[in-house]
Amino acid sequence: QVQLVESGGGLVQAGGSLRLSCAASGNAFNIYAMGWYRQAPGKQRDLVARITSGGSTAYADSVKGRFTISRDNARNTVYLQMNSLKPEDTAVYYCHANLNGVYNYWGQGTQVTVSS
């Protein structure tokens, strides 16, 4: 069982930056694949970025070059550094943990609002 708690969301102007954090409780954080998803009002929840237990990363095309996902296994934490933010990045951002493609855990979400 893994519990995820996000932090770092807020209101920022277009072009600004935010860093989201996701702290995980439980054991064996280092073996989980971690990801960030986002959901805007009236839209589906979409993958933003993910990082494997080995550190390989992947990004949605819309955030490539602007967002960076990283993990600190010693702190049981995954981060999402978001730069050059755009109004269309406005959404609730959710942290996700996956083990072996079977076990899935979600955080409660953190709101990111980018003003134009």
Side-chain angles (χ1 to χ4, degrees), residues 54-74:
S56 298
T57 59
Y59 297 90
D61 287 342
S62 59
V63 307
K64 282 181 181 176
R66 300 188 297 123
F67 291 11
T68 302
I69 189 170
S70 61
R71 64 192 298 162
D72 184 340
N73 291 335

Side-chain angles (χ1 to χ4, degrees), residues 37-92:
Y37 289 70
R38 66 186 181 188
Q39 187 168 20
K43 296 189 176 181
Q44 66 181 19
R45 189 175 297 187
D46 290 326
L47 177 68
V48 175
R50 63 186 179 198
I51 185 167
T52 68
S53 58
S56 298
T57 59
Y59 297 90
D61 287 342
S62 59
V63 307
K64 282 181 181 176
R66 300 188 297 123
F67 291 11
T68 302
I69 189 170
S70 61
R71 64 192 298 162
D72 184 340
N73 291 335
R75 297 178 185 271
N76 279 17
T77 302
V78 62
Y79 304 97
L80 185 68
Q81 178 66 46
M82 305 185 294
N83 298 327
S84 302
L85 282 160
K86 305 175 181 180
E88 50 264 44
D89 294 318
T90 295
V92 178

Side-chain angles (χ1 to χ4, degrees), residues 2 27-34 51-54 71 73 76 97-101 103:
V2 174
N27 297 322
F29 170 80
N30 58 300
I31 68 173
Y32 283 81
M34 302 297 298
I51 185 167
T52 68
S53 58
R71 64 192 298 162
N73 291 335
N76 279 17
N98 174 264
L99 179 60
N100 296 332
Y103 301 99

